[in-house]
Amino acid sequence: MFGVTFPTFIYRPSCEALSPGSATRSNASIAGHQVVKRRAHGLGVSALVAIGQDDRQVELVNSESVASQIDAAQIELLFNKSTQLTPQAVVHFVTQLAKVSKEELALADQPRIFSLQKLVEVADFNMSRMRVVWTKIWRVLSSHFVEVATHPNVRVSHYAMDSLRQLTMKFLEKDELAGYNFQAEFLKPFECIMVGPPPVSREVKDYLVYIISYMADASFQNIRSGWKAVLHICAAAAQDPALSEATIEIAFKVVEKVNADSCYHLFLENFTDGIRALLSFAQCKVEKRPGKEAGVPDGAMGQLLDSFHWHEAKPEMSMQAISYLLKAAEKLADPQTDLPAGCSLSQDPAISDGQPAAVWFPILRGLSILVGDPRRDVRAAALNGVFDILRDYGKQIFDEDMWRMVFNGVIKPLFDDIHHQLAPQSDHKQDRLPTGRQDGHWASMGPPTCLAALTQLVRLIEAHLDVLAFLLDDVLRLIRNCIQHEFEAVARIGVEGFKQLLICTGKNMKPNSWQKVTTCILELFRDSMPTKLMEVDVKASSQLPFNKDDVVIQCVVQLLLIDMLQDAVSQHYELDP
């Protein structure tokens, strides 16, 4: 290790040097001038002291005098020769250089990047060292770069990001051996900066996404384990509400690259992270940001952002992400598809990695959550996607336990979410519509979605009644909840769904299934009987002792059940036990 001492010279305004242990100065010397701070050293003590404008002039003259007596070539040689240090020494050298760089950047008004530049050069010189040694060096460098990226001076943070980009681009030129994850470690600082803590400015995140996009284009063929970090960063960008639509679209284009047919093996190799990224983009809703925003960096980044037209949030990106999820499900159902060992998305401890639910459940649950999306096209695509996957691949892949998990963890919560959308936000009702919501929004998002979901469920039962007969009790309970809903529109939808179930599946039902159906119908007739009408005493009061709307709904349900029963009996009379 080099035995180098960095002297610190501190002068009074009269050019009289301070004593080695002194860091004091008169107030008169700084009165009326801008006060800055410099680090003073003496007798083993280090502290920040305030100096004025006169001091700065004197310090500048003396620093130029000292610099003129130093051979710049010798300074450069100090860093160039770092390649000759032992592994332990080079790690120590980089650690101490990072500490010096941290002190240089400590002052936000006048940060210096000399040591930061030298860190980049030293990293470049020593990149060919053994992987074990280089990992230790990079651990120090990455931590420092992440810290510098949060610097309040945007120029400094951008310089740190650009330095990371240069080093990463050079590292990606090397082929990665199978079974190693050095690329993922190299890209880890970008991920740390993106997700925090500590938080960074939106400008820095915009620039980071641009860098990732640039690297994905320039080094696409060389990226191996690095795709894991790239997909994490893209997913974080989609979930960040502060980022602009153009930045999120840039991130989505990166994800689209690995979803192309010619490169789909990359998506399969990073299946878990790819699915999470697609779900993030499917759920992404960005706000309108007119024109170019203040703080967006100039140059290539600014030109890239300017190439996009700002508009209201559109569903195209989410729709495309949903189509990629359906493509992933198709590949997942293919027995010839090989996924990496330990591939799992589920966070449920009851689901082990070896179960099919470990990879299927998150896709289905993610799509079911999108059924509550306010965008109609996204809502419809997600709903169709859930039941298309179950109808097309469920019979050949799922066993009884898996089907029960899907019903309790996907289908039932889906209807619970729909009912939650229909529920009033207060105890008071107005015109039988939930208060606190716009009537148009409720009308377009509530009953129609409920009807579509119930129709899809009936089609699923019809397609696989032979393997799903054990779920008939759960399905009837779900339909019953719809029929007994407090809103007439939902009650009508529930009866219509029950009617479709009987007409479509009645011919294939076994006697025990018919017994369950008839028992459910009998209970619905009993529960919806408007018995409150028989309790009215018109002589006692002019006010009805019940809510008339509730009784009206019961009467409507009675009539609808009679109509449903008539149609079912006419078609399946000979099958009814």
Side-chain angles (χ1 to χ4, degrees):
M1 186 63 193
F2 300 119
V4 181
T5 302
F6 298 95
T8 302
F9 299 90
I10 301 180
Y11 293 88
R12 293 184 183 274
S14 60
C15 298
E16 178 184 356
L18 291 174
S19 61
S22 173
T24 61
R25 58 183 67 250
S26 64
N27 293 333
S29 66
I30 62 175
H33 300 287
Q34 180 183 4
V35 177
V36 296
K37 291 184 178 180
R38 289 289 183 266
R39 187 169 293 279
H41 302 268
L43 298 180
V45 179
S46 174
L48 288 175
V49 297
I51 64 175
Q53 187 68 26
D54 294 339
D55 300 320
R56 298 171 70 178
Q57 294 295 332
V58 173
E59 188 177 70
L60 178 62
V61 172
N62 284 277
S63 62
E64 290 177 351
S65 175
V66 173
S68 65
Q69 300 177 30
I70 299 176
D71 187 358
Q74 295 297 318
I75 297 295
E76 291 299 322
L77 188 63
L78 175 70
F79 300 101
N80 294 341
K81 291 290 186 179
S82 63
T83 56
Q84 300 179 11
L85 295 173
T86 64
Q88 184 178 1
V90 72
V91 174
H92 184 67
F93 178 71
V94 170
T95 302
Q96 299 306 314
L97 186 57
K99 290 182 179 179
V100 175
S101 174
K102 184 176 180 179
E103 290 191 0
E104 288 183 346
L105 298 169
L107 297 175
D109 58 338
Q110 283 188 331
R112 292 180 294 175
I113 61 173
F114 175 79
S115 296
L116 185 61
Q117 291 173 325
K118 294 307 175 185
L119 274 174
V120 176
E121 294 177 10
V122 170
D124 189 8
F125 297 152
N126 291 271
M127 194 174 290
S128 59
R129 285 183 178 266
M130 294 177 59
R131 295 300 189 194
V132 176
V133 179
W134 173 248
T135 300
K136 296 180 180 179
I137 295 174
W138 185 246
R139 190 175 295 118
V140 176
L141 292 174
S142 61
S143 176
H144 183 60
F145 280 123
V146 171
E147 185 176 354
V148 176
T150 63
H151 197 277
N153 190 314
V154 178
R155 293 180 180 273
V156 173
S157 59
H158 281 183
Y159 180 82
M161 300 286 295
D162 198 54
S163 299
L164 267 175
R165 179 188 63 82
Q166 295 178 38
L167 290 174
T168 304
M169 291 293 294
K170 185 165 184 178
F171 186 83
L172 290 177
E173 294 176 0
K174 304 175 180 292
D175 291 332
E176 185 177 51
L177 300 177
Y180 289 86
N181 297 311
F182 290 118
Q183 289 184 356
E185 290 296 323
F186 221 104
L187 291 168
K188 191 69 175 179
F190 291 103
E191 184 180 349
C192 294
I193 295 170
M194 190 69 188
V195 301
V200 298
S201 64
R202 187 182 62 80
E203 291 80 4
V204 171
K205 291 184 178 181
D206 282 337
Y207 192 49
L208 188 152
V209 172
Y210 163 71
I211 289 175
I212 292 298
S213 175
Y214 175 79
M215 288 194 301
D217 284 332
S219 304
F220 185 84
Q221 300 298 330
N222 294 334
I223 300 179
R224 295 293 183 269
S225 65
W227 282 114
K228 180 181 182 69
V230 170
L231 291 171
H232 283 182
I233 293 170
C234 293
Q239 294 173 346
D240 195 330
L243 295 184
S244 62
E245 183 177 5
T247 301
I248 295 176
E249 288 187 12
I250 294 173
F252 185 63
K253 289 183 181 298
V254 175
V255 178
E256 284 187 308
K257 294 180 187 298
V258 296
N259 276 277
D261 292 336
S262 59
C263 308
Y264 204 71
H265 63 283
L266 296 175
F267 184 86
L268 294 177
E269 292 171 2
N270 302 273
F271 190 80
T272 298
D273 304 296
I275 293 297
R276 288 193 178 118
L278 290 176
L279 288 173
S280 297
F281 282 103
Q283 297 169 5
C284 177
K285 295 180 284 292
V286 292
E287 299 177 356
K288 179 182 179 182
R289 298 182 183 275
K292 183 179 178 180
E293 302 171 57
V296 175
D298 295 328
M301 180 61 179
Q303 294 175 5
L304 183 62
L305 293 180
D306 283 341
S307 65
F308 291 91
H309 298 287
W310 303 105
H311 46 68
E312 294 286 354
K314 297 192 298 184
E316 282 78 3
M317 183 172 63
S318 296
M319 296 286 290
Q320 187 63 39
I322 292 175
S323 69
Y324 287 141
L325 286 170
L326 298 180
K327 179 180 178 181
E330 180 182 358
K331 293 291 184 180
L332 194 59
D334 188 349
Q336 297 181 353
T337 300
D338 293 327
L339 295 179
C343 180
S344 175
L345 279 161
S346 178
Q347 298 178 353
D348 190 341
I351 302 177
S352 62
D353 292 345
Q355 291 180 302
V359 288
W360 283 100
F361 193 85
I363 298 176
L364 294 169
R365 182 58 180 152
L367 289 172
S368 70
I369 292 175
L370 285 170
V371 175
D373 195 282
R375 296 166 294 180
R376 182 181 59 184
D377 293 340
V378 174
R379 196 163 61 242
L383 179 62
N384 293 334
V386 170
F387 286 98
D388 286 346
I389 291 175
L390 295 176
R391 188 167 52 250
D392 295 341
Y393 314 120
K395 185 175 182 179
Q396 64 193 49
I397 296 176
F398 300 163
D399 56 15
E400 181 173 327
D401 291 336
M402 179 64 179
W403 274 114
R404 195 172 295 279
M405 292 174 62
V406 168
F407 187 89
N408 293 328
V410 177
I411 297 178
K412 187 177 178 181
L414 185 151
F415 281 90
D416 289 342
D417 291 341
I418 295 175
H419 288 178
H420 178 72
Q421 296 170 7
L422 297 170
Q425 293 183 339
S426 67
D427 295 332
H428 302 284
K429 304 171 186 176
Q430 181 178 1
D431 297 331
R432 304 307 299 172
L433 290 178
T435 60
R437 297 175 182 262
Q438 295 181 355
D439 294 358
H441 173 77
W442 181 85
S444 63
M445 191 173 177
T449 303
C450 185
L451 176 60
L454 204 53
T455 301
Q456 289 282 10
L457 178 59
V458 169
R459 291 177 180 175
L460 174 64
I461 299 298
E462 178 187 8
H464 303 306
L465 181 62
D466 53 336
V467 297
L468 297 180
F470 68 95
L471 288 176
L472 185 59
D473 285 332
D474 297 311
V475 173
L476 292 175
R477 191 177 301 111
L478 191 151
I479 293 176
R480 183 174 176 176
N481 290 337
C482 291
I483 295 175
Q484 295 177 339
H485 201 275
E486 56 186 313
F487 294 112
E488 181 182 333
V490 183
R492 288 177 175 272
I493 290 171
V495 176
E496 180 62 27
F498 202 170
K499 181 178 179 180
Q500 292 181 20
L501 178 67
L502 294 179
I503 293 176
C504 296
T505 64
K507 59 184 177 182
N508 296 320
M509 281 188 183
K510 296 181 179 180
N512 62 331
S513 296
W514 270 110
Q515 187 64 46
K516 295 177 181 179
V517 169
T518 54
T519 300
C520 180
I521 295 175
L522 180 61
E523 292 176 351
L524 285 172
F525 269 113
R526 184 183 66 245
D527 295 341
S528 62
M529 186 70 66
T531 56
K532 294 181 180 180
L533 289 174
M534 307 302 296
E535 302 172 0
V536 178
D537 185 359
V538 293
K539 297 181 180 180
S541 174
S542 60
Q543 297 292 331
L544 293 176
F546 53 80
N547 189 321
K548 65 176 182 178
D549 293 330
D550 293 337
V551 174
V552 169
I553 293 177
Q554 289 180 324
C555 294
V556 170
V557 169
Q558 285 275 316
L559 294 174
L560 293 174
L561 288 174
I562 294 172
D563 180 71
M564 178 198 74
L565 191 59
Q566 181 179 1
D567 291 341
V569 170
S570 63
Q571 290 200 22
H572 307 301
Y573 178 77
E574 69 283 356
L575 300 174
D576 195 359

